[in-house]
Amino acid sequence: MKVERVELRRIGLPLVGVFRTSFGVERDRDILLVRVEAGGVEGWGECVALPRPVYSSEYLDGAVEVIRRFLLPAVRSLPQHRAHAVEPVFAKVKGHPMAKAALQTALLDAELRAAGTSFAGYLGGVREAVPAGVSVGIMDSIGELLDAVDGFVEQGYQRIKLKIEPGWDVEPVRAVRERFGDILLQVDANTAYTLADARHLARLDPFDLLLLEQPLPEDDLRGHAELARRVRTPICLDESITSAKSAADAIAMGATSVVNIKPGRVGGYLEARRVHDVCAAHGVPVWCGGMLESGIGRAANVALAALPNFTLPGDTSASDRYYARDVTEPFVLENGQVRVPDGPGIGVLPDPDVLAEVTTSVIRL
Ligand code: OSB
Ligand code: MG
């Protein structure tokens, strides 16, 4: 299979509500979709880099530049444009996992569409639907937070994740626990704390949280290992896990006892499966993280979440949690679950009319 054409398409999608984290506020999403044409089929991938380098060092304009100048020429230098074959040439380009993941996913989608195989089937999925959790942003008041959580619990979400930061942690957690009782509840700090906050973070211990996600900076594995000895809540790493190797290191050091897998963060779905496997081998449960994806990225994430060691609900929410109108058929919540697409490739395509309406620019390569 050879890539004939590549399209880098930027789309603008307004979020149904603002999403605030310790690193900033998202309102209108600026998303890069990669479309390839190869061997008479198309393939799609979504780049999860944010417009600004505030979650990780990647950012959207940088991803476009890396794809067009370095990654696509590397693909074109190969005799076969297969998803697994790009890994050694992508490895020569340092960093930029989200750009790599987007292009590799488009290639893999084309390859699997041509073969008539679904993403879930190819990756080794064992579930037809996956339990859905929801990530709830930082709010202006506890009342506003309780109303938001109430809405999600009513809709059937199986687990609630609260974004926290210094000044918005123990009290919102206490309020949600008191109001909603025995729900599955966890928190995500997106690196907002330091080890000096260990005693403060231990104040979350009484609330029986499933996990405390990425309290410390990305490169501080030793700090997370030390924090894990000082708090009862299990530590889960997100930003720190950039590969299967880093997952193995973090587990060996005692820095993490649960892992959030985001395919973009680790360079694609093949590496994401390796992270899954390494965690499974160590008895470490995983769940699928999210980056506010459109239906394109969501379809592939939901397929990944069908693998056996995804034993915790992921940030794989329904489309309407994010967008009034998604670019694909919307993913919907059915009994707190999202169905895994079973068509070839990622199993969904963007609606051409919606796509045309939301497109802000197209680069053809
Ligand atoms: O840390 O999990 C995170 C969104 C953007 C960047 C980082 C994160 C998030 C989320 C939202 O928590 C998850 C979702 O897509 O629902
Ligand atoms: Mg996170």
Side-chain angles (χ1 to χ4, degrees):
M1 174 173 269
K2 287 271 200 181
V3 168
E4 288 127 27
R5 265 183 289 279
V6 175
E7 226 176 62
L8 304 182
R9 181 182 293 263
R10 291 278 275 271
I11 61 172
L13 287 182
L15 283 167
V16 292
V18 299
F19 184 71
R20 191 168 135 213
T21 65
S22 58
F23 58 75
V25 181
E26 302 291 319
R27 293 169 204 279
D28 290 295
R29 301 274 297 122
D30 178 1
I31 297 174
L32 170 65
L33 299 178
V34 179
R35 177 181 185 271
V36 302
E37 272 176 49
V41 294
E42 60 187 322
W44 289 84
E46 175 167 342
C47 183
V48 299
L50 301 179
R52 289 164 296 126
V54 289
Y55 163 78
S56 68
S57 65
E58 283 187 278
Y59 64 102
L60 222 39
D61 290 340
V64 169
E65 175 83 352
V66 165
I67 291 172
R68 69 197 289 188
R69 282 190 57 198
F70 304 111
L71 301 180
L72 187 56
V75 171
R76 288 192 159 132
S77 74
L78 293 167
Q80 280 292 327
H81 300 172
R82 304 277 309 272
H84 71 270
V86 305
E87 290 195 318
V89 288
F90 281 6
K92 292 180 185 166
V93 176
K94 302 301 178 192
H96 303 284
M98 294 172 178
K100 291 170 179 173
L103 182 53
Q104 185 190 42
T105 302
L107 294 172
L108 184 56
D109 184 36
E111 198 174 312
L112 295 179
R113 282 181 200 272
T117 306
S118 71
F119 246 60
Y122 172 80
L123 293 171
V126 295
R127 279 182 270 274
E128 286 174 5
V130 299
V134 60
S135 175
V136 185
I138 293 165
M139 308 263 166
D140 291 331
S141 69
I142 302 269
E144 203 186 325
L145 175 70
L146 292 175
D147 287 346
V149 172
D150 190 48
F152 292 129
V153 169
E154 280 299 307
Q155 288 172 57
Y157 282 103
Q158 296 196 28
R159 167 287 256 161
I160 300 291
K161 161 170 138 179
L162 304 182
K163 290 291 192 179
I164 60 167
E165 67 182 1
W168 182 265
D169 43 33
V170 177
E171 292 319 315
V173 166
R174 183 200 311 283
V176 169
R177 185 52 97 203
E178 276 176 6
R179 166 82 174 272
F180 299 98
D182 195 12
I183 58 169
L184 300 183
L185 185 62
Q186 63 192 52
V187 293
D188 184 4
N190 289 110
T191 77
Y193 296 87
T194 73
L195 197 51
D197 298 311
R199 281 158 65 93
H200 179 70
L201 290 169
R203 293 180 59 211
L204 294 170
D205 285 350
F207 301 109
D208 287 311
L209 301 177
L210 282 172
L211 56 90
L212 163 55
E213 183 179 347
Q214 197 71 43
L216 310 181
E218 173 181 335
D219 61 359
D220 195 6
L221 285 189
R222 193 161 68 116
H224 282 102
E226 180 57 34
L227 182 64
R229 287 188 281 270
R230 300 200 209 166
V231 302
R232 259 198 11 232
T233 310
I235 304 293
C236 169
L237 292 178
D238 171 357
E239 284 90 331
S240 296
I241 305 300
T242 55
S243 64
K245 182 189 177 297
S246 69
D249 291 348
I251 292 166
M253 286 176 68
T256 199
S257 48
V258 184
V259 169
N260 167 333
I261 302 186
K262 288 179 184 169
R265 199 192 60 225
V266 302
Y269 286 85
L270 302 189
E271 186 68 9
R273 182 171 55 184
R274 292 181 203 113
V275 176
H276 165 273
D277 293 350
V278 112
C279 290
H282 285 89
V284 168
V286 305
W287 55 281
C288 185
M291 292 291 287
L292 312 172
E293 288 90 344
S294 78
I296 295 294
R298 189 161 311 283
N301 281 353
V302 167
L304 178 71
L307 269 63
N309 193 37
F310 282 82
T311 53
L312 293 168
D315 285 342
T316 44
S317 312
S319 294
D320 69 359
R321 184 266 173 275
Y322 311 91
Y323 306 111
R325 195 182 51 170
D326 207 333
V327 293
T328 63
E329 275 294 300
F331 283 82
V332 294
L333 212 56
E334 298 167 65
N335 300 316
Q337 298 195 309
V338 173
R339 206 179 305 164
V340 178
D342 57 6
I346 62 171
V348 299
L349 283 172
D351 177 305
D353 296 328
V354 176
L355 200 59
E357 253 182 71
V358 300
T359 294
T360 52
S361 70
V362 185
I363 298 172
R364 297 194 169 82
L365 302 165

